[in-house]
Amino acid sequence: MSVFGNIGNYIRESQIWGSVFRHGIPRDRRTRAMAVLSNVFLHLHPVAVRKSGIRLSFTWCMGGLTFFLFLAETITGVLLMFYYRPVVEYAYNDIIQLRAHVTLGLLREIHRWGAHAMVIAIWLHMLRVFLTGSYKPPREFNWGVGVILLKLTLLLSFTGYLLPWDQLAIWAITVGSNMARATPVLGHEGPGAAAMMIGDVPLIHAGSDARFLLLAGTSVGPGALLRFYVLHCIFIPLVVLVLIAVHFWRIRKDGGISGPL
Amino acid sequence: MLKQAIMNGLNTLVLAAASDGGLGGAIKDLLNRASVPQIFVPLMAIGLIVALLTYRVWTKPKIAGLLGLGFIGFYLWSATDENFFKIIVKPDNVPITIMLTAMAIVTWVAFRQAAINDRRIERGEPLIESGADDKVLVWPDLVYTEMICLVLCTIALVVWAILLKAPLEPAANPTNIPNPSKAPWYFLGLQELLVYFDPWIAGVLLPGFIILGLVALPYIDKNPRGNGYYTFSQRKMVIWVFMFGWIILWVALIVLGTFLRGPNWNIFGPYETWDAHRPAALLNVNVSDLFWVVLPEKTGLWNPGLPKEPMWGLPTWLVREGPGLMVLGAYFFILPVVLAKSVCAKLYKDLGLIRYAVFWLLMSWMILVPIKMVLRWLFNLKYFVAITEYFFNI
Ligand code: HEM
């Protein structure tokens, strides 16, 4: 046996290796099943799947791609957080500095295009789930989880759009958040808001309505930047992560990738 | 109006082909004219209808390939135009081109398989996806596929990032409003709806109904067939509705909003320069104007003029907007009942009262969008109901 083979055997028979991988090399049915069952990440999968279900032409790999992009965004996002401060005085400059001085300044590009790609991937994922009728029983609930994920993905993109604090950012967010002003009952220019009175005191005004809640002010300013930052970096990703876990779990519990009965 | 536009277009095409701009110039001119929503949106809708009716034909690999090549050729040729080029290479617009391409490909993949499956169903043969017992082990089959996808996607993303710089405009300046101000591209369909609806509808109600509608879909679509495989013939109605919403009301409006809307939210053809000095749009009218002013002017039944004070013990706004409220009331509440007793009797029986009511709540709002668009284009209709006092305008 070659030297490498010997070394390889030595490693694989060591206590360290054995403690990490509790099965032999996945060469036969049993060890392959073990490989999946004994790994928490691979265990997201069942041991065996329908052949037709994993064809590229059936799923277009779009759910997987969305997940991949979510991970890529998480990693690049954490790195970006090292360089970025969500304060009006610093934010824009930090982005310029990032571009000019940081090795791998490419981070921002990857993060931005990854975000756009994730929006596209999730739309196409939904389209394929729709066109294969995979939302039908028993998968109604998981489809619903998906719709919430879709909304959260759009919100992730939207909140991130503000952070560079350039003209593109604040005006896009201004256009978007102006809608909140018109929320029925809860926006100060929404239908029904005028009815929300205690005696003569209006409950809903520019300083207390849905847009104010979102922006921490009546226009896109420092408060909005901080709020969007926290939503973008912490709150929404956490919720998305939890929902993705539910989503994947339910795929298995609902009988794996759908197929004709 | 459409006919006139087409005639105009054909005329210019013939004239221009004979003169200096050449055929290319003439085609651009024609497409510039076709970019106004009242032509662009109906053309898209017609395209979708034709595509769905002939899905067995155009999905054949050869025809689809030709269509694809034709479209790529057209896109490249268009990109030689300065104005068109400027729009599509705006960094944040590049994803739209990518989305449209990806969408075209997957839509073809889906409808191709649907066409094959539908034929097989007719002949009683097994489906592409059949063979449920055909299981493979996740390790290695799936895990390796995933691994390869992961590497390829990482490479693709890095290459994209190297080739295209992320945009960074001048620092935020709250006093300098860019014209036009646009939301991120994936929301531009909704922003486009602001042309037709007030923000509380375009920005709050409709997005809410989209989410509600999607969540409700599996509970409303009671058709047990077509679960887990591509088919069109077994799920005709739901696919028609969904594709109309997705392609026309979402994607086409995004394209319109990003590529064709310029300063002052005016329409600019793909080959036109964005000129900020276009005159503003026409005056719009409400249903109340039509009923209280235009109608009596034409017929002489009563004195033209909007009601200015309370009448019959009703507040002014209620009298003024009465006609519009009645129209909408009939649309939202009476029409579904009439339909349930006639055309949709079978649907009503299948769904039951609650599902049917939710279905119509969602459908009426979805259909109201194109209705309002058409009425705007034809009659400059602004509001069915304009209770401006309470921000309640529909
Ligand atoms: C963060 C977002 C999402 C991630 C990471 C994700 C991931 C996945 C993955 C990996 C699968 C396995 C099959 C495939 O790749 O197609 C899947 C299946 C599924 N997804 Fe998603 N998804 C997301 C969003 C959505 C959305 C927006 C919807 C629908 C509105 C949805 C509905 C479903 C359903 C119903 C299935 C089961 C399909 C079947 O069994 O054939 N998901 N998802």
Side-chain angles (χ1 to χ4, degrees):
Chain A
M1 205 185 262
S2 70
V3 183
F4 287 115
N6 277 334
I7 298 179
N9 273 348
Y10 179 76
I11 294 177
R12 253 175 266 122
E13 279 158 18
S14 70
Q15 189 185 353
I16 299 180
W17 180 278
S19 69
V20 179
F21 302 103
R22 299 201 167 278
H23 50 79
I25 303 174
R27 274 200 198 112
D28 53 27
R29 245 193 112 76
R30 203 187 72 87
T31 41
R32 283 175 170 174
M34 285 297 290
V36 172
L37 286 177
S38 64
N39 179 310
V40 66
F41 303 108
L42 291 180
H43 195 48
L44 281 174
H45 303 300
V47 170
V49 284
R50 303 167 48 92
K51 204 167 181 176
S52 76
I54 60 169
R55 278 178 320 135
L56 193 59
S57 56
F58 188 73
T59 63
W60 315 338
C61 223
M62 279 302 160
L65 186 55
T66 313
F67 184 52
F68 160 75
L69 287 164
F70 178 73
L71 294 182
E73 291 300 280
T74 309
I75 295 168
T76 50
V78 167
L79 294 176
L80 283 171
M81 282 171 79
F82 291 147
Y83 298 101
Y84 174 87
R85 289 164 289 178
V87 182
V88 171
E89 289 77 23
Y90 298 139
Y92 183 70
N93 232 14
D94 284 350
I95 300 279
I96 293 190
Q97 296 295 322
L98 174 78
R99 179 180 263 185
H101 299 309
V102 178
T103 328
L104 285 183
L106 211 55
L107 284 180
R108 173 161 178 256
E109 269 71 22
I110 300 185
H111 195 73
R112 191 174 188 102
W113 302 138
H116 286 302
M118 187 171 166
V119 170
I120 298 172
I122 197 170
W123 286 0
L124 297 184
H125 174 54
M126 186 178 91
L127 184 64
R128 101 86 185 137
V129 172
F130 172 78
L131 285 175
T132 53
S134 306
Y135 57 82
K136 299 190 177 201
R139 299 186 177 79
E140 312 99 305
F141 175 75
N142 214 14
W143 164 269
V145 173
V147 176
I148 306 302
L149 277 171
L150 173 75
K151 190 187 159 76
L152 290 175
T153 303
L154 291 178
L155 284 182
L156 260 181
S157 265
F158 184 69
T159 46
Y161 216 80
L162 181 65
L163 303 184
W165 203 249
D166 61 346
Q167 280 287 78
L168 198 61
I170 63 160
W171 292 107
I173 303 308
T174 303
V175 170
S177 56
N178 264 343
M179 304 283 173
R181 184 166 63 174
T183 314
V185 185
L186 297 180
H188 76 283
E189 285 180 9
M196 306 288 285
M197 300 268 258
I198 297 184
D200 275 346
V201 187
L203 274 181
I204 302 289
H205 50 83
S208 75
D209 67 345
R211 187 181 58 157
F212 193 86
L213 178 73
L214 187 67
L215 298 184
T218 51
S219 64
V220 179
L225 183 58
L226 186 58
R227 249 168 225 212
F228 275 49
Y229 177 79
V230 174
L231 287 176
H232 183 78
C233 300
I234 297 172
F235 185 70
I236 307 181
L238 275 183
V239 179
V240 168
L241 195 67
V242 171
L243 285 180
I244 288 182
V246 175
H247 194 60
F248 286 177
W249 177 249
R250 281 305 287 244
I251 296 174
R252 285 198 56 180
K253 291 291 134 182
D254 294 341
I257 303 222
S258 62
L261 300 171
Chain B
M1 188 169 53
L2 189 67
K3 199 172 137 206
Q4 198 192 352
I6 293 173
M7 292 304 289
N8 274 343
L10 285 180
N11 259 337
T12 33
L13 192 67
V14 174
L15 283 179
S19 70
D20 46 346
L23 189 61
I27 295 177
K28 286 180 187 174
D29 193 57
L30 187 67
L31 291 176
N32 278 339
R33 282 155 194 264
S35 303
V36 290
Q38 51 266 52
I39 299 183
F40 178 80
V41 178
L43 273 185
M44 284 291 172
I46 293 172
L48 177 71
I49 292 172
V50 172
L52 284 181
L53 288 177
T54 62
Y55 75 108
R56 294 188 187 207
V57 182
W58 65 262
T59 50
K60 295 203 167 109
K62 277 188 194 142
I63 303 183
L66 276 180
L67 285 174
L69 280 182
F71 193 76
I72 292 173
F74 168 74
Y75 213 76
L76 291 180
W77 169 75
S78 288
T80 60
D81 184 276
E82 190 192 346
N83 293 308
F84 188 86
F85 190 71
K86 234 191 262 165
I87 303 176
I88 58 168
V89 297
K90 250 202 205 147
D92 271 356
N93 282 353
V94 171
I96 304 175
T97 303
I98 294 179
M99 179 200 59
L100 293 177
T101 320
M103 216 183 79
I105 295 173
V106 297
T107 307
W108 171 68
V109 170
F111 278 86
R112 169 74 186 152
Q113 295 179 81
I116 295 176
N117 271 344
D118 289 347
R119 176 137 323 121
R120 291 191 183 177
I121 292 168
E122 281 158 22
R123 298 201 188 124
E125 295 167 8
L127 304 164
I128 303 176
E129 292 88 349
S130 289
D133 307 327
D134 230 6
K135 290 222 169 178
V136 290
L137 282 179
V138 161
W139 186 296
D141 290 72
L142 183 54
V143 174
Y144 276 51
T145 317
E146 285 173 350
M147 187 68 204
I148 296 167
C149 280
L150 191 122
V151 173
L152 289 182
C153 293
T154 311
I155 295 175
L157 196 57
V158 172
V159 170
W160 185 0
I162 292 174
L163 290 183
L164 194 68
K165 271 231 151 300
L168 191 65
E169 292 193 357
N173 177 354
T175 54
N176 177 8
I177 309 180
N179 183 8
S181 290
K182 292 190 181 182
W185 64 271
Y186 36 84
F187 287 144
L188 272 197
L190 296 172
Q191 196 178 354
E192 178 64 22
L193 288 182
L194 281 178
V195 174
Y196 306 96
F197 292 98
D198 274 14
W200 73 278
I201 296 181
V204 185
L205 212 59
L206 289 176
F209 278 138
I210 294 175
I211 292 171
L212 186 70
L214 286 173
V215 173
L217 171 65
Y219 306 96
I220 295 177
D221 176 14
K222 297 274 280 173
N223 176 2
R225 296 183 305 164
N227 184 344
Y229 52 93
Y230 289 102
T231 171
F232 182 37
S233 64
Q234 294 193 331
R235 303 171 51 210
K236 278 229 151 90
M237 180 167 118
V238 70
I239 290 185
W240 271 102
V241 173
F242 187 93
M243 291 306 270
F244 180 78
W246 163 240
I247 303 279
I248 306 299
L249 298 183
W250 193 257
V251 177
L253 292 189
I254 286 179
V255 172
L256 189 72
T258 44
F259 289 165
L260 305 175
R261 288 287 182 189
N264 305 332
W265 216 246
N266 275 326
I267 282 289
F268 291 84
Y271 313 103
E272 277 180 290
T273 333
W274 283 12
D275 161 16
H277 302 290
R278 280 256 186 104
L282 293 162
L283 273 181
N284 290 320
V285 297
N286 299 335
V287 165
S288 55
D289 300 317
L290 290 176
F291 183 84
W292 295 109
V293 183
V294 180
L295 191 66
E297 271 173 0
K298 293 252 158 84
T299 60
L301 284 179
W302 55 84
N303 284 335
L306 286 177
K308 291 273 181 317
E309 51 218 54
M311 245 192 277
W312 310 305
L314 301 173
T316 322
W317 58 266
L318 194 55
V319 179
R320 187 187 68 223
E321 302 302 332
L325 282 171
M326 275 192 262
V327 171
L328 279 188
Y331 173 75
F332 279 116
F333 301 109
I334 300 182
L335 183 66
V337 178
V338 173
L339 287 175
K341 302 228 145 132
S342 55
V343 196
C344 299
K346 183 165 176 309
L347 187 74
Y348 179 70
K349 208 173 120 262
D350 291 345
L351 292 188
L353 179 62
I354 294 180
R355 284 192 176 84
Y356 183 83
V358 176
F359 168 73
W360 262 109
L361 171 71
L362 297 163
M363 279 304 276
S364 352
W365 279 99
M366 182 168 169
I367 302 174
L368 190 65
V369 175
I371 290 182
K372 182 109 188 248
M373 289 180 165
V374 171
L375 290 177
R376 172 69 59 81
W377 302 332
L378 293 179
F379 308 114
N380 286 323
L381 179 77
K382 188 160 180 3
Y383 294 124
F384 290 102
V385 170
I387 310 176
T388 334
E389 296 88 331
Y390 299 103
F391 299 113
F392 187 86
N393 306 323
I394 299 179

